[in-house]
Amino acid sequence: MSTFKINSTIASFGGKLLKLSHKSSSTTTDMALNLYLPHSATTSKPAPLLFYLAGLTCTGDNGAEKGNLIPHASRLGIALVFPDTSPRGDDVPDDKDSYDFGCGAGFYIDASMEPYNKHYKMSSYITSELPEALSSQFKELDTSRMSITGHSMGGHGALTLFLKNAGLYKSVSAFAPISNPSNCDWGRKAFKGYFGEEEKSKWAEHDATELLKNHKGDDFKVLIDVGTGDNFYKQGQLLPENFEKAAEEQGYKGVQVRMQDGYDHSYFFVSSFAKDHVEWAAKALGV
């Protein structure tokens, strides 16, 4: 298991934001991330974790620096993990003419199509390798208590990783998630490239709406916020209504989709509702 290099330490809201990098066995590349440790986190009283998955074109810096999650996590004693959105490097295949496929657009899946299947293993990285590596090096973290959230492509990642990994996360929420990627341009392009055009069953395995249709459990709770002024919502890239319909058909009463009047897709939107999402996770994490 690789050791994290601490590239910088930044004091923030009584705790510290660490800029980390390490060699990933999942992606076989160097991976960068941000880790926020609240002042209350100690080896004798380790902090639970909230993972924040960012959207297209982003890195782990965006949510850490613009998402406004840190002050609320600090107050509640929650550590925050901000991973990158894809593998990167000279040997990593990329579509340099596209912002929505390749580097910066890993879609939190394990690709099966060549040449992407060697490095694009973001699902394995986020759900398995990264928590284990963090737990090994940072004893002030309690990885038995983890929640997950995300924005846009990261909201898709949060929803699907929660639904695909029963019991791994205590809660899930999402900001303007790509809720039904099999039926939007962003998702179809990504799934075609990473899985193949004919592998529709594989697409469904990474589509929150399709996963919810087959979800087994007494209940499913999620907090989702979407801005009515979000151009990507208006263009049919997010499709929260399809996710809501699947929840209704399954009889899940705990699915909250809040349409926020006038808000767009930016970090002004994310930062406005970060408090609600951190507190949503806090309840499930027992803090």
Side-chain angles (χ1 to χ4, degrees), residues 55-243:
L56 292 166
T57 75
C58 292
T59 69
D61 293 338
N62 295 75
E65 297 173 8
K66 299 192 292 185
N68 194 37
L69 287 87
I70 288 177
H72 310 296
S74 175
R75 171 174 54 86
L76 293 165
I78 299 172
L80 296 169
V81 183
F82 302 92
D84 204 348
T85 53
S86 77
R88 300 175 192 270
D90 293 340
D91 296 332
V92 176
D94 188 21
D95 182 348
K96 297 188 183 300
D97 294 326
S98 298
Y99 75 93
D100 52 0
F101 185 78
C103 290
F107 269 80
Y108 304 102
I109 53 84
D110 286 356
S112 56
M113 284 282 286
E114 294 184 351
Y116 302 100
N117 56 348
K118 180 178 179 181
H119 299 295
Y120 285 78
K121 301 291 186 182
M122 291 301 293
S123 175
S124 295
Y125 175 70
I126 297 293
T127 60
S128 180
E129 181 186 359
L130 185 54
E132 290 175 9
L134 288 169
S135 178
S136 177
Q137 185 166 338
F138 298 96
K139 301 303 182 183
E140 56 266 68
L141 298 176
D142 180 4
T143 53
S144 70
R145 293 186 293 155
M146 301 191 301
S147 287
I148 192 166
T149 188
H151 173 228
S152 192
M153 178 186 71
H156 144 78
L159 292 172
T160 56
L161 296 182
F162 180 90
L163 288 165
K164 287 172 65 65
N165 296 275
L168 182 60
Y169 302 104
K170 302 299 184 184
S171 70
V172 61
S173 69
F175 303 84
I178 303 172
S179 305
N180 189 194
S182 300
N183 287 311
C184 75
D185 290 343
W186 277 342
R188 285 190 289 258
K189 180 176 181 178
F191 288 176
K192 178 181 177 180
Y194 293 135
F195 299 132
E197 189 167 10
E198 305 305 319
E199 296 294 324
K200 293 301 194 292
S201 62
K202 181 71 74 173
W203 292 27
E205 293 174 10
H206 297 274
D207 185 314
T209 296
E210 295 302 319
L211 286 168
L212 192 58
K213 291 177 182 178
N214 298 296
H215 182 64
K216 306 299 181 185
D218 295 333
D219 199 7
F220 170 69
K221 296 181 174 65
V222 62
L223 173 65
I224 294 174
D225 283 309
V226 181
T228 62
D230 187 325
N231 284 334
F232 298 119
Y233 166 63
K234 295 175 183 178
Q235 293 166 12
Q237 297 280 26
L238 308 182
L239 302 173
E241 60 274 15
N242 294 0
F243 188 79

